[in-house]
Amino acid sequence: GFEWRWLWQRAQGQARKTFLIHPSPVYAITYSPDGRFVASASDDGTTQLWDARQENWLRTLDSPTNSPRQLQFFTDHFTLRCSVSFSRDSRTLLTGGRDPALRLWDLESGQRLWSLTNNFFLGVFSPSDPNLALATWRYTSSLPGPRMSLLDVAQGKISANFTNGRADAICFTPDGRE
């Protein structure tokens, strides 16, 4: 209908710059709280870091090796396949991917600080506490649906698991209390 054409016309020519570095679709993109960085996570398993002020690419933070079986599982069962989330102080980046694992990165050095495997695939930092995040993990045959956990980022460990329902999406309230 006309809606599609109207929306398409409105979306043309508004971009200031186009970045062509991911060879696969991008499923997650976010700005750092201080506006200094942009991170993008792609279906190919890579996470790219960009300088938002200079509008240029800085580095590839993550390029895990994914087996075809794992890729097929996540392609079939999850729409959102990867995540990127900056800490409130914009010093670290939490990435989640299809391999499945969560990783914490130091943004200045580009070094990985820790990895949390065991079927964790999405992570979101608290907007108020740089040491707190939510994470989702793949379900098992005894627990249907993805589950949510509270992550102690400083330790790189799960501090609590929530098993009373599915966690198809995760987020904090703007004040970070819930």
Side-chain angles (χ1 to χ4, degrees), residues 121-134:
F121 58 95
L122 299 178
V124 176
F125 264 109
S126 164
S128 59
D129 185 346
N131 289 316
L132 184 65
L134 290 173

Side-chain angles (χ1 to χ4, degrees), residues 58-157:
L58 295 174
R59 65 177 62 99
T60 300
L61 293 176
D62 199 7
S63 186
T65 303
N66 292 315
S67 71
R69 186 171 145 236
Q70 288 174 320
L71 291 177
Q72 187 62 43
F73 174 82
F74 283 98
T75 300
D76 292 344
H77 291 87
F78 299 104
T79 303
L80 183 59
R81 298 180 190 123
C82 46
S83 64
V84 287
S85 182
F86 286 98
S87 60
R88 191 189 95 200
D89 59 9
S90 300
R91 297 178 65 188
T92 56
L93 180 70
L94 184 63
T95 63
R98 294 180 356 169
D99 40 345
L102 293 176
R103 293 173 179 85
L104 185 68
W105 300 90
D106 177 78
L107 294 177
E108 290 301 320
S109 69
Q111 297 297 311
R112 184 173 55 199
L113 300 174
W114 54 255
S115 288
L116 182 63
T117 56
N118 198 19
N119 295 325
F120 288 95
F121 58 95
L122 299 178
V124 176
F125 264 109
S126 164
S128 59
D129 185 346
N131 289 316
L132 184 65
L134 290 173
T136 58
W137 43 280
R138 194 186 82 182
Y139 61 92
T140 64
S141 58
S142 62
L143 296 170
R147 302 298 176 168
M148 181 173 62
S149 297
L150 200 57
L151 175 62
D152 178 340
V153 177
Q155 299 296 315
K157 295 182 180 179

